[in-house]
Amino acid sequence: MKNATLLAIISLGAIILIDLIQIIMSFFDFYSMNLFRLFGVLNLIAFIGILPFFVTLYNKQKG
């Protein structure tokens, strides 16, 4: 459970950081469609990192 929790915390921090970078970059003309796609992929990977925490939590509650 500790490893799953640590991965979830790191993934959540990554999601917050990615969103913060996107907000800051949206104020400038530097933001492009390629960056939008890159941040979308990074966001998806970060959300996938949270998934093992919930799977582990579900298995502990079930058994």
Side-chain angles (χ1 to χ4, degrees), residues 7-62:
L7 182 61
I9 290 171
I10 292 170
S11 296
L12 184 61
I15 291 169
I16 292 170
L17 185 64
I18 290 166
D19 286 347
L20 186 61
I21 291 170
Q22 279 185 309
I23 289 170
I24 290 170
M25 290 179 70
S26 69
F27 288 112
F28 304 103
D29 290 334
F30 184 68
Y31 203 69
S32 68
M33 187 53 104
N34 289 333
L35 281 175
F36 178 76
R37 289 184 186 131
L38 175 68
F39 284 129
V41 169
L42 292 175
N43 226 351
L44 178 64
I45 292 169
F47 273 110
I48 291 171
I50 293 176
L51 184 63
F53 171 76
F54 288 106
V55 170
T56 305
L57 186 66
Y58 174 75
N59 287 335
K60 281 192 171 249
Q61 289 178 349
K62 190 173 88 172

